Amino acid sequence: MLKNFSFAQFCSSILRKGPLVLGVLGLAFSASAQEPRIITFNAPGADMTAGSFNGTYPQALNDAGVIAGAYSDSSNGLHGFVRTREGKITTFDAPGTVTGANAFTNPRSLNLEGVIVGGLYDAENKVHGFRRSPDGQFITLVAPGECTTSQDVGCHGTGAWDVNNFGTIVGPFEDNNGNFVAHTYIHTPDGKFTIFEVPGSSMEAGQGTLPATSSGLNKWGAVTGLYYDANNAFHGYVRYPNGSFSTFEAPGADTTVPFNGTFPQALNDFGAITGYYIDVNEVFHGFIRGPEGKFTTFDAPGADTGSAYSGTYPVNINLLGAVTGYFLDAKGVFHGFVRGSDGKFATFDAPGADTNAGDYNGTFPTNINVSGEITGSFIDATNVYHGFVRNPGH
């Protein structure tokens, strides 16, 4: 279900499927903490209609325990929310977004200050990024050279996918040369855009360079993500703050078949990267790439490694090296996992998640913070999405 995707599908389907005292936070290195506690929640206004595949989709979690994400209403419109650690939820729409069934405000990232970034569709169905400050003020992000037509004809404009604690933003945009090639930008708090493409990235129609979909920007300004080659295979990269690049393949990644390869998902402040790769049998496996370039590959316990499009999907890594994500088992059920920096795993299901064989529902973590808290969504037996936060029980 994650294989044949493009920049357009990244934009349209992503919702669906400072120094610390390490002695105090040491338990975050390990997945084997005390009994965790999972809290479930729904954003006010989220559609709970059975069979709708609507609901609440947490996307971001900061180190203060604040969560940001989106929810879909009964008309299928998408709106933003922010949830405090205490459970108070504020909903919002980015100014200028279209209303009704086509409403689209999609928060993607949240920093420690409470700045939220994401994407919106305007009244002409064009895609732009947004930045929401903690006091509710917005700015719209339009990358230089973005395509100016609407998504109806293939233009997916500018997205804002990550913001670090210094307020720097990273995201993709499609250009205006008629081919909708993807490029990545870095936007600094002074309003300056820096545009880049990875050396070796194909500049053919529908190809290009993308940042990671989860947390591809660290506090130093390094960026990870993926790029297409001319055969539509994917490769990983890291762009360092000085503008230099390293490209890489996870061991075992297949680059001979279109849409296979290496898919970085997140980068921490120490330079460790996590993500997944697709092998020659089209099975998904997890990896961690250390700052020095050394790889560790892994499969979550219980992951189906014998069927195409099954396997392990890491999505985020925290400062201490703990990784969260989800895996698909042989019965067609998705489960959450956390892998500590010691290599130990804990797997989990959010209360109420559908674990019926063959439904392809379950639990889908999206983010982990330095304390080991995890947020994400789950699908219940009536095909409705709900949010959760998992406290590791330190």
Side-chain angles (χ1 to χ4, degrees), residues 150-352:
S150 77
Q151 60 164 331
D152 300 323
V153 295
C155 168
H156 288 85
T158 300
W161 285 6
D162 201 11
V163 59
N164 68 16
N165 287 338
F166 292 120
T168 297
I169 299 167
V170 69
F173 72 98
E174 287 183 338
D175 65 28
N176 204 26
N177 65 8
N179 291 325
F180 305 135
V181 175
H183 311 264
T184 296
Y185 72 84
I186 299 170
H187 178 272
T188 49
D190 60 2
K192 179 183 177 182
F193 282 90
T194 299
I195 310 301
F196 68 85
E197 300 86 29
V198 178
S201 174
S202 173
M203 294 289 102
E204 296 299 318
Q207 297 176 344
T209 297
L210 297 168
T213 59
S214 293
S215 299
L217 172 70
N218 72 13
K219 76 174 184 180
W220 310 113
V223 178
T224 193
L226 55 84
Y227 66 96
Y228 296 75
D229 67 20
N231 297 315
N232 273 321
F234 290 97
H235 311 268
Y237 74 85
V238 57
R239 181 189 187 273
Y240 301 103
N242 66 2
S244 63
F245 289 88
S246 289
T247 60
F248 58 86
E249 316 292 343
D254 173 41
T255 59
T256 65
V257 175
F259 307 110
N260 284 356
T262 300
F263 302 79
Q265 296 293 294
L267 167 71
N268 73 11
D269 288 343
F270 288 134
I273 297 169
T274 195
Y276 57 85
Y277 67 93
I278 305 176
D279 69 18
V280 293
N281 297 312
E282 302 193 317
V283 175
F284 291 68
H285 308 271
F287 73 82
I288 298 170
R289 180 185 187 269
E292 75 293 343
K294 179 181 178 182
F295 278 88
T296 300
T297 61
F298 62 87
D299 297 300
D304 178 13
T305 58
S307 303
Y309 317 125
S310 293
T312 300
Y313 311 83
V315 295
N316 225 299
I317 185 169
N318 72 5
L319 180 66
L320 303 180
V323 173
T324 195
Y326 50 92
F327 66 93
L328 182 63
D329 69 20
K331 296 180 179 180
V333 178
F334 286 96
H335 310 270
F337 75 83
V338 56
R339 180 190 187 273
S341 61
D342 56 4
K344 295 180 180 179
F345 281 86
T347 63
F348 61 91
D349 299 302

